[in-house]
């Protein structure tokens, strides 16, 4: 579970990031989940853009992504989602205590 100061730190790191995954009208597919999982393993922090053509409710998408990738929600603002998953083998981001 991320603390408030850790979430704020991660939001700052995610601000300049471009969306790595884009969820469109097909919703959350296996290919998208696989690419999110691979990117989280490599970089720990990912920004996801959800297009307006996606009919799945945002809250449901967020919960599905977190459950499928074992990640934590950093922020969800409009149609942008930022999630984090710590990589214990090769950590990239060092969180404040």
């Amino acid at each position: 579970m991320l603390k408030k100061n850790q979430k704020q730190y991660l939001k700052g790191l995610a601000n300049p990031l471009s969306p790595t995954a884009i969820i469109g009208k097909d919703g959350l597919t296996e290919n998208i989940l696989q690419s999110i999982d691979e990117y989280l393993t490599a970089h720990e922090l990912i920004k996801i853009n959800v297009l307006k053509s996606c009919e799945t409710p945002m809250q449901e998408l967020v919960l599905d992504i977190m459950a499928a990738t074992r990640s934590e929600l950093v922020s969800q603002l409009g149609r942008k989602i930022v999630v984090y998953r710590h990589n214990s083998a090769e950590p990239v981001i060092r969180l404040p205590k």
Side-chain angles (χ1 to χ4, degrees):
M1 185 82 188
L2 293 172
K3 298 177 185 174
K4 186 176 181 176
N5 65 331
Q6 292 172 330
K7 281 188 178 186
Q8 287 177 334
Y9 176 74
L10 290 171
K11 282 181 192 179
L13 291 178
N15 196 24
L17 292 179
S18 303
T20 305
I22 299 174
I23 300 173
K25 68 177 181 176
D26 294 335
L28 197 58
T29 64
E30 283 298 317
N31 288 338
I32 293 174
L33 277 175
Q34 183 179 359
S35 64
I36 290 172
D37 189 55
E38 289 171 1
Y39 197 85
L40 282 170
T41 301
H43 301 283
E44 297 182 327
L45 187 67
I46 185 173
K47 186 184 280 188
I48 304 164
N49 190 17
V50 181
L51 300 179
K52 289 183 181 180
S53 60
C54 180
E55 296 178 2
T56 310
M58 285 299 294
Q59 194 61 28
E60 186 179 325
L61 269 177
V62 170
L63 293 174
D64 289 346
I65 291 169
M66 289 172 39
T69 61
R70 299 170 321 281
S71 59
E72 294 188 58
L73 179 67
V74 174
S75 71
Q76 186 251 318
L77 185 62
R79 297 192 155 273
K80 301 248 189 276
I81 304 167
V82 178
V83 292
Y84 168 80
R85 182 178 69 200
H86 179 69
N87 183 350
S88 56
E90 296 178 26
V92 177
I93 299 172
R94 187 167 182 185
L95 292 175
K97 298 274 177 189

